[in-house]
Amino acid sequence: MSAYLTAANRLRIVKIEDIQQETPTVKSFTFKDDLLSKAKPGQFIMVWIPDVDEVPMSLSGISPYACLICVKKVGEATKALHQRNIGDYIGVRGPFGNGFRIVRGKVMVVGGGTGTTALTPLVGSLAEEDVQVTFLLGAKTRHELLFRNRIQAVLSKVKCDFQVATKDGSCGSKGVITDLAEKYLNKEEFDMIYTCGPERMMYKMLLLSERFQTPLQASLERLMRCAIGICGTCVIGKFRVCRDGPVFTGEQLSEVKEEFGHFKRAFNGRKVKL
Ligand SMILES: Cc1cc2nc3c(=O)[nH]c(=O)nc-3n(C[C@H](O)[C@H](O)[C@H](O)COP(=O)(O)OP(=O)(O)OC[C@H]3O[C@@H](n4cnc5c(N)ncnc54)[C@H](O)[C@@H]3O)c2cc1C
Ligand code: FES
């Protein structure tokens, strides 16, 4: 069946059941949707804000009872969503994309900024496996550390090491999270690195994964319109992020290194520096 006609691509109207202010610029929104409750960690959805726009968002909570998106206020659509109230309606399509591949053994999870939202359901799935998790959480400042308590609570079920780094040193070690990742990789071996966050951060994680010969899975963001591989707004090299990703392996990212970490595309298709 064409991707256009699938049940996932049909717009469903859902009621906002809860709203939480997570950080000064980030709110999470809870709603119910049957299809999304069966999504895989790392898949994404399209959220339609009536009269404004439709934008891609990761699912940061997936359960039969409630789905959660966590939205940073950056522009017109996200600002409009932040002004919505409990009981208001939004539209959703999805789930789209591939999601993370779950492995067993010893894994490192590296999250930065709102990228952490896509990693939260991953941590839930990892905690059900035979894994040892090193979770490294980074943000500019302590007020922007997302889902710290939630992630720590989920990881309490497994052997884990949870560390924080902030650029201003207001929580955890001072500096960027990739420096902390490098320290760990220098002394320990991992079976997989999972990462989501600013692209420059993920690019550094790609370089580290190559240097330490550790497999990597990274979740990418690009402009998205159709989310089903038709419009081409989300291209990176030979890949369409909505259809071939948003999660890519280190091998795949090495093939698009001239773009990954350096450029994204604007809505007119022109390359813009990251
Ligand atoms: C797979 C995926 C998952 C994402 N998950 C989250 C998430 O969990 N939480 C979150 O806060 N944000 C997430 N984003 C980013 C989010 O989609 C953008 O912040 C949002 O679209 C901005 O819209 P705006 O109208 O508020 O801002 P605008 O003023 O339109 O743009 C601000 C910036 O947002 C980006 N942007 C704008 N439109 C789009 C679009 N259609 N697709 C992608 N990026 C766009 C551009 O880089 C632009 O420079 C995700 C993006 C992708 C591709
Ligand atoms: S968003 Fe249209 S091809 Fe990916």
Side-chain angles (χ1 to χ4, degrees):
M1 193 195 292
S2 109
Y4 183 70
L5 296 172
T6 57
N9 194 40
R10 212 186 60 241
L11 183 76
R12 286 97 64 193
I13 302 301
V14 296
K15 187 157 87 175
I16 300 172
E17 308 222 331
D18 191 31
I19 300 175
Q20 295 290 329
Q21 186 87 46
E22 303 283 354
T23 74
T25 53
V26 175
K27 278 186 182 179
S28 58
F29 298 82
T30 306
F31 54 87
K32 283 195 186 111
D33 179 76
D34 276 352
L35 274 179
L36 298 184
S37 70
K38 296 172 193 115
K40 280 171 61 181
Q43 285 192 296
F44 73 96
I45 69 172
M46 294 299 289
V47 180
W48 176 59
I49 304 108
D51 300 325
V52 186
D53 203 354
E54 193 190 33
V55 289
M57 288 288 150
S58 305
L59 281 168
S60 46
I62 305 168
S63 91
Y65 317 104
C67 293
L68 194 81
I69 53 169
C70 189
V71 183
K72 180 163 183 162
K73 190 163 61 168
V74 293
E76 194 193 6
T78 47
K79 193 172 163 200
L81 192 50
H82 270 237
Q83 285 164 351
R84 294 299 193 264
N85 297 306
I86 295 172
D88 285 351
Y89 290 89
I90 52 174
V92 292
R93 287 191 292 133
F96 298 116
N98 52 2
F100 290 105
R101 188 172 62 80
I102 306 293
V103 299
R104 290 187 179 163
K106 199 168 163 191
V107 305
M108 174 186 276
V109 186
V110 184
T114 46
T116 314
T117 63
L119 298 172
T120 316
L122 167 73
V123 165
S125 292
L126 286 172
E128 286 162 22
E129 299 292 330
D130 182 17
V131 285
Q132 187 178 332
V133 182
T134 297
F135 197 108
L136 308 179
L137 178 62
K140 283 187 190 143
T141 175
R142 110 186 131 85
H143 304 295
E144 289 180 17
L145 286 166
L146 263 179
F147 294 149
R148 192 176 162 196
N149 295 340
R150 198 174 306 176
I151 291 167
Q152 277 181 305
V154 175
L155 286 179
S156 63
K157 293 186 206 160
V158 294
K159 203 169 172 206
C160 90
D161 186 0
F162 185 90
Q163 300 290 336
V164 167
T166 48
K167 268 193 188 158
D168 65 0
S170 53
C171 186
S173 34
K174 186 175 177 171
V176 289
I177 200 71
T178 46
D179 288 347
L180 206 54
E182 187 174 358
K183 275 187 198 153
Y184 271 89
L185 287 161
N186 260 318
K187 57 179 187 184
E188 292 174 42
E189 279 186 17
F190 292 87
D191 298 300
M192 181 63 71
I193 300 170
Y194 295 99
T195 185
C196 188
E199 199 159 307
R200 294 296 302 169
M201 177 204 97
M202 293 197 286
Y203 181 72
K204 280 192 196 162
M205 288 312 304
L206 173 66
L207 299 184
L208 287 174
S209 82
E210 288 174 341
R211 195 169 118 211
F212 291 95
Q213 298 183 354
T214 308
L216 171 120
Q217 294 181 49
S219 178
L220 268 58
E221 283 188 13
R222 280 292 179 275
L223 289 185
M224 286 187 187
R225 277 296 176 221
C226 71
I228 51 172
I230 294 173
C231 71
T233 56
C234 65
V235 286
I236 176 165
K238 62 181 188 180
F239 300 119
R240 284 166 201 229
V241 175
C242 70
R243 189 194 58 191
D244 305 316
V247 179
F248 290 91
T249 64
E251 288 85 8
Q252 288 175 312
L253 294 176
S254 299
E255 293 179 62
V256 292
K257 243 182 180 171
E258 66 293 343
E259 274 195 53
F260 178 61
H262 303 293
F263 298 101
K264 60 178 185 175
R265 287 189 190 258
F267 277 116
N268 61 11
R270 279 227 312 269
K271 276 188 184 177
V272 242
K273 270 199 149 197
L274 277 171

